[in-house]
Each structure stands twice: as C-alpha cells, then as structure tokens.
Amino acid sequence: MPETAAEAIASTGNAVELLRNAQSRPTIFPVTPEFTNWRSEQLSWRQSVALLDQSHHMTDLFISGPDALRLLRDTGVNSFESFDVDKAKQFIAVNHEGYLIGDAILFHLEEDLFDLVGWFMVLDWVQYIGETGDYDVTFERDANSLMREPGAAPKLYRYELQGPNALALMEKLTRAPVPQTKFFHMAKFTIDGVEVRSLRHGMAGQPGFELFGPGDQGEQIRDAIIAAGAEFDLVLVGAKAYSSANLESAWVPSPLPAIFTGEGTAEYLRWLPANRLGSLAGSFTSDDIEHYYLTPYDLGYGRSVAFDHDFIGRAALEKHAATNQLTKVTLVWNPEDLAAAQRSLYEPGIPAKYIEFPKARYGVYQVDRVLADGIAVGISHDAGYITGEQVFASLASLDAAHAEPGTEVVVVWGEEPNSTKPAVEPHRQIDIRATVYPAPYSSFARENYRKN
C-alpha cells in the first residue's frame, strides 16, 4: 500500500518539517521547455498569438452522477445559480474553518457531468468528500503526464490560443465568424472536420480561447492550428514561458492547502497519498502549519464567495469576511538588489539563493517574508520575470496598511536554515527591496481580463 499523508507526517513529527525538506523536485510542466526562447515566447501573447499546450501539466477530475452538482455546491464557495451546461468557473474550496484548500477550473460539460481541472490539492479534497459522504457520484481521474502511467495519452487535449491575433486565427481555423461568447462560457467549433469545444477567456488581458477534445484528436488539431497560424505570427510557447504566465494575470497557482489541522482533516490525511502533499519553500518559517493558511480574501477571491448556499466552512468564512484581510498586490523587485544577488554567485563566500528565470519558485508552495521597517507585513508568493514589462515581480498578500501602490517593502529571499530539498543549494538569506503595485501589474490586464 502506498504511504499515506498521515503516515508521512507521523514519521517526521511535524507537517512543516516534512514539507520544508520534501525530497521531491519542483513541479515542472512536462512539455518542451523552450521552442525558441522564453523571452520571445512571453511576448507572443501580447504581440501576436501564442499556442500553449495544457494537455500534460494539469489533472482532470471528471465528476458524474445525479449528486454531482450537490457535491460541488457543498464543497465550493461559489454560487451555482444558473451554472448551466457550457459554462465554466474558477471553483474555490475551503476547509471547515474557512481557510483555503485551493482552486481549479470547473467545466459543466453535460447534464450531471463536470470536469474539475487544475492542481491536485482541491481535486483531492472534492473527491474525498464525495467518496466518504452520502453522494451518488462517480469519479474518473486523469492525472497529469508526470503522474500518469508512462506512455499513456491524456484523456483530453487542451490548447490555449492567446493574444491579439487569436480571434483572426480562430476565424481562419473555423472558416466562419466566431460568435460572441461571454467570459468563461463555452462554444463548439469545427476545425479540420473535427468538432472542438472552446472556453472563452484571456491571459494578461488579451483575447483567448481554450480548445479541448478527445486526446486522440489532439495531434490533428495542433497540426491544423500551426498550419493556419503562420500568417498570424503564431508562436509555440514552452514550459518556461508558460509557467510564468500567472504573474501577468495575478493568479497564485499553489497556496499551501489548509488540510493539516481542523475538523475532518485527520481522516482526510489517512486517505490522501503522501506523494500529493507537495513541498514548502521560502523565507517564512513557523513550526505551526496554521500560520501558512490563507483565506480566499487574502488572494483576492472575495468576488467569488457567495453565501447563497450552505457549504463546508460557510460559517467560519462569514467570520473571516468580517475581519481584516490581506490584500493581493504585485511587488516589483529592486533591480540593484537583484543584480547584487546574482553577482554574489561570482564573489567569495556563500552566495544568495539562486534566482531562476523566468520563474523563481523552488517548491510547490513558495512563501517568503515581506517586511516594512523590519516588521512582518505579509508574504510573497510566486516570483519571476515579465518580459513585456521588463520587471522582476512577485505576487504577494500584504496587510492593508502596506498594500497601497508605491509603498516600499523588503522581500527576504532564501532559507535560514537551508532546507534539504533537492532544489536548495547552500546559500545565505538576503533582503531585496520591492515596491507595491496593483495586481495584475499591467494596466491593460487589469482593465481587460474579464471583459465580455
């Protein structure tokens, strides 16, 4: 029998210790790292049109049966009123104490059939509640290509077309005007004689389409996109650039899930495989795992919370809503301090923690301290370089008093003491000055991301 999460924690004695020293490498997108170079590939979704392959790095959890929608209502903080077939939403779940489990994209494919797509954290929680509760539901799980059986193809292909030329490319592919489709609504098209489903959304504020269908049709659709895309300056985007795209839309992909303490979590950890616990990186340290928990409000998800139905954690979340929350912001890191960190690699003594480009995360959950005048004011999440803005930035959750644009803060970079994660080399902690900006950082993205 595989080791359970509960067994792994018990053998270490502390969840934080286990996660900080997890012997797993940082998650990578299992697609080509770069087709040209990640800088040009980042620019493509702003300047022309980008083709991004989502088929391999996310997990699909297909939920079917007469109680599927009831299960989603019971576990999701979102409203499900008018959530009809051919609609999608960012699905958000919390634990019984109102702290974030995680988020994923929920597709309503057919009557009583849903596809929950994303990181495994929230998918695991929903599956556990469904399997152990009084629900008439069936689950079919298609793991990402890192965890899928070697050589097995994904059940669905999933491609993104993003950028100012995406609409023109779609009209060439479908040989017809693309009908107006609202944000996060789906439509069906025919490409190269094959029916394709499309989700309308955007990245960095640019128009976009997410195309998906049976996995065995994926190569045919991809070939058709590439052939038609030449005249629109289509750019194939690899794993490096794609992994940094969230910095532009201000989505925090993997906050630490609140699964280690609270009502029902002991049973859940006995159900959860240990290889899906993840790893913890960054300068923020505490022996109390609850100090790493966040609420949906701390990540800017308040607009998605709907108290129009009962769900796990509702009463606690209502209390969180009435208290002071952290504010999600962008931190633009000081170029001189960044250069000094890189320069330390060429100087005598122990250098700073290596800062990788374009994405600097070195654990599944990246949690770095943010200070103002030496006092902790929040945490920094994902960090990386945005070519289109020529800035190195991170997403952060700060207290309201320090979340105003223009505020100067300090990000503490590196671990003390150094953990034993494979991606951590001997290094010293350093302070990097940063300036608060809105999230998303790009004004175009802020003003256009959710336009109908």
Side-chain angles (χ1 to χ4, degrees):
M1 289 285 291
E3 185 181 32
T4 69
E7 291 168 339
I9 294 169
S11 67
T12 305
N14 181 281
V16 174
E17 182 74 12
L18 175 66
L19 295 175
R20 284 190 66 80
N21 295 291
Q23 293 303 295
S24 56
R25 297 197 61 79
T27 300
I28 60 171
F29 290 10
V31 295
T32 301
E34 295 172 287
F35 288 94
T36 51
N37 65 83
W38 61 261
R39 283 81 61 199
S40 298
E41 291 171 16
Q42 275 192 348
L43 288 174
S44 66
W45 57 69
R46 291 182 174 220
Q47 297 180 350
S48 58
V49 57
L51 171 58
L52 309 99
D53 189 349
Q54 290 186 324
S55 309
H56 299 283
H57 72 277
M58 296 189 296
T59 297
D60 288 75
L61 182 66
F62 297 96
I63 309 169
S64 59
D67 289 339
L69 182 59
R70 181 167 69 89
L71 170 63
L72 293 165
R73 282 198 182 102
D74 289 352
T75 52
V77 307
N78 315 75
S79 175
F80 289 88
E81 296 299 316
S82 303
F83 186 53
D84 303 322
V85 173
D86 284 335
K87 291 184 179 180
K89 66 170 69 244
Q90 181 188 24
F91 175 89
I92 300 163
V94 298
N95 69 4
H96 290 270
E97 290 70 40
Y99 291 105
L100 188 71
I101 298 289
D103 69 297
I105 302 302
L106 178 65
F107 295 79
H108 195 171
L109 299 178
E110 300 173 12
E111 194 70 30
D112 297 334
L113 174 60
F114 302 83
D115 184 10
L116 191 59
V117 183
W119 281 89
F120 49 80
M121 300 81 161
V122 70
L123 278 62
D124 287 333
W125 176 258
V126 171
Q127 184 172 354
Y128 168 76
I129 298 298
E131 288 183 353
T132 59
D134 182 23
Y135 298 96
D136 184 0
V137 292
T138 300
F139 297 100
E140 180 183 356
R141 192 183 191 99
D142 187 31
N144 66 43
S145 293
L146 292 171
M147 305 179 80
R148 191 184 299 112
E149 181 182 344
K155 182 178 176 64
L156 296 178
Y157 71 81
R158 201 178 295 278
Y159 303 130
E160 279 195 53
L161 291 176
Q162 299 285 350
N165 294 347
L167 179 60
L169 173 55
M170 277 293 292
E171 291 186 337
K172 181 175 181 179
L173 283 166
T174 60
R175 300 180 181 180
V178 174
Q180 286 289 327
T181 307
K182 291 184 178 180
F183 185 82
F184 261 43
H185 284 56
M186 289 182 275
K188 294 179 180 177
F189 302 102
T190 299
I191 296 176
D192 197 29
V194 175
E195 184 177 82
V196 174
R197 298 187 82 165
S198 170
L199 173 68
R200 187 278 192 216
H201 67 96
M203 187 171 68
Q206 298 293 345
F209 303 86
E210 183 174 313
L211 311 177
F212 63 99
D216 58 5
Q217 298 174 352
E219 186 173 349
Q220 179 183 352
I221 298 302
R222 184 177 185 274
D223 289 346
I225 292 171
I226 292 173
E231 70 176 274
F232 302 103
D233 297 323
L234 177 74
V235 175
L236 304 183
V237 173
K240 286 188 175 183
Y242 195 1
S243 69
S244 66
N246 69 292
L247 296 169
E248 299 198 41
S249 61
W251 172 60
V252 178
S254 54
L256 188 143
I259 59 172
F260 300 93
T261 58
E263 181 182 342
T265 54
E267 296 83 358
Y268 177 60
L269 293 171
R270 287 194 289 269
W271 174 91
L272 183 70
N275 66 356
R276 294 210 290 270
L277 277 174
S279 59
L280 178 60
S283 61
F284 181 88
T285 57
S286 172
D287 291 334
D288 186 346
I289 192 70
E290 291 187 357
H291 291 166
Y292 294 84
Y293 291 177
L294 298 166
T295 73
Y297 301 101
D298 297 333
L299 293 175
Y301 295 159
R303 56 177 168 72
S304 297
V305 176
F307 297 116
D308 61 354
H309 65 298
D310 289 327
F311 56 84
I312 291 173
R314 172 179 169 166
L317 195 57
E318 286 181 309
K319 293 180 180 178
H320 289 308
T323 62
N324 293 330
Q325 306 295 336
L326 300 178
T327 300
K328 184 171 68 173
V329 300
T330 303
L331 299 181
V332 174
W333 294 21
N334 181 280
E336 293 181 359
D337 292 353
L338 281 164
Q342 301 291 50
R343 191 173 61 244
S344 72
L345 299 172
Y346 311 105
E347 298 172 339
I350 299 175
K353 176 76 184 78
Y354 179 68
I355 300 175
E356 191 160 1
F357 280 58
K359 196 70 170 290
R361 185 174 67 194
Y362 55 96
V364 174
Y365 319 118
Q366 186 75 35
V367 189
D368 288 302
R369 287 190 294 151
V370 180
L371 309 177
D373 298 322
I375 305 299
V377 297
I379 57 173
S380 174
H381 310 287
D382 269 20
Y385 186 74
I386 304 173
T387 302
E389 302 288 348
Q390 291 187 268
V391 297
F392 192 95
S394 65
L395 303 173
S397 298
L398 305 184
D399 64 41
H402 296 88
E404 287 297 315
T407 303
E408 299 294 328
V409 296
V410 168
V411 177
V412 181
W413 178 251
E415 298 182 340
E416 181 58 48
N418 294 177
S419 68
T420 63
K421 289 186 294 296
V424 175
E425 75 284 7
H427 67 272
R428 58 182 170 88
Q429 274 189 344
I430 61 168
D431 290 348
I432 297 180
R433 291 169 291 172
T435 303
V436 174
Y437 283 84
Y441 175 74
S442 163
S443 60
F444 188 89
R446 290 197 305 275
E447 295 164 6
N448 292 275
Y449 182 60
R450 292 181 178 274
K451 279 188 176 179
N452 289 339

